[in-house]
């Protein structure tokens, strides 16, 4: 679409010519804006496609991390249960626990001092 205007003189002071010039400049600016938008459309679509791909990759990584953390969470629950069992044993058998701790300390000190 090309903007054209015919020049007519409506008034003796030339305001009609000025109005036509402003209208013509506005029409040309509008056309330039449309052309710029048309030229930018492929780049915008490419950026949008790249953003969608990045979001898909992030979502996949988040899902994988959630699954991994789910397994780790289950393992942590098992460790917590074992720790709680050890605490109960120490509460129920304090002398035996103390004896095992002393024996383990003695064995470790002998192993480390021989090196």
């Amino acid at each position: 679409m090309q903007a054209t205007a015919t020049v007519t003189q409506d008034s003796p002071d030339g305001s009609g010519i000025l109005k036509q010039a402003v209208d013509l400049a506005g029409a040309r600016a509008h056309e330039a804006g449309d052309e710029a938008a048309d030229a930018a459309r492929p780049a915008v679509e490419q950026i949008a496609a790249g953003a969608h791909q990045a979001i898909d990759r992030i979502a996949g990584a988040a899902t994988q991390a959630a699954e991994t953390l789910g397994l780790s969470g289950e393992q942590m629950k098992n460790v917590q249960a074992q720790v709680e069992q050890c605490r109960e044993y120490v509460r129920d058998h304090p002398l035996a626990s103390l004896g095992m701790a002393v024996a383990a300390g003695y064995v470790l000190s002998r192993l480390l001092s021989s090196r």
Side-chain angles (χ1 to χ4, degrees):
M1 172 179 4
Q2 187 175 10
T4 58
T6 57
V7 178
T8 61
Q9 189 169 358
D10 293 337
S11 63
D13 63 355
S15 63
I17 294 173
L18 181 60
K19 181 185 179 314
Q20 288 177 351
V22 169
D23 289 344
L24 180 61
R28 286 185 179 162
H30 184 69
E31 287 176 9
D34 289 344
E35 289 173 6
D38 290 341
R41 187 168 288 117
V44 170
E45 289 173 357
Q46 185 177 6
I47 291 169
H52 286 294
Q53 290 174 353
I55 290 169
D56 290 344
R57 278 186 260 135
I58 290 169
T63 301
Q64 185 178 5
E67 290 172 357
T68 300
L69 288 175
L71 294 175
S72 296
E74 189 64 35
Q75 291 171 348
M76 288 298 291
K77 286 180 184 178
N78 291 337
V79 169
Q80 286 176 338
Q82 290 174 349
V83 168
E84 189 58 37
Q85 288 175 349
C86 290
R87 285 181 181 163
E88 287 178 22
Y89 182 83
V90 170
R91 277 190 223 117
D92 294 342
H93 307 91
L95 291 178
S97 299
L98 182 60
M100 284 189 271
V102 169
Y106 177 76
V107 170
L108 282 175
S109 70
R110 295 300 269 170
L111 289 172
L112 294 175
S113 67
S114 66
R115 291 184 179 198

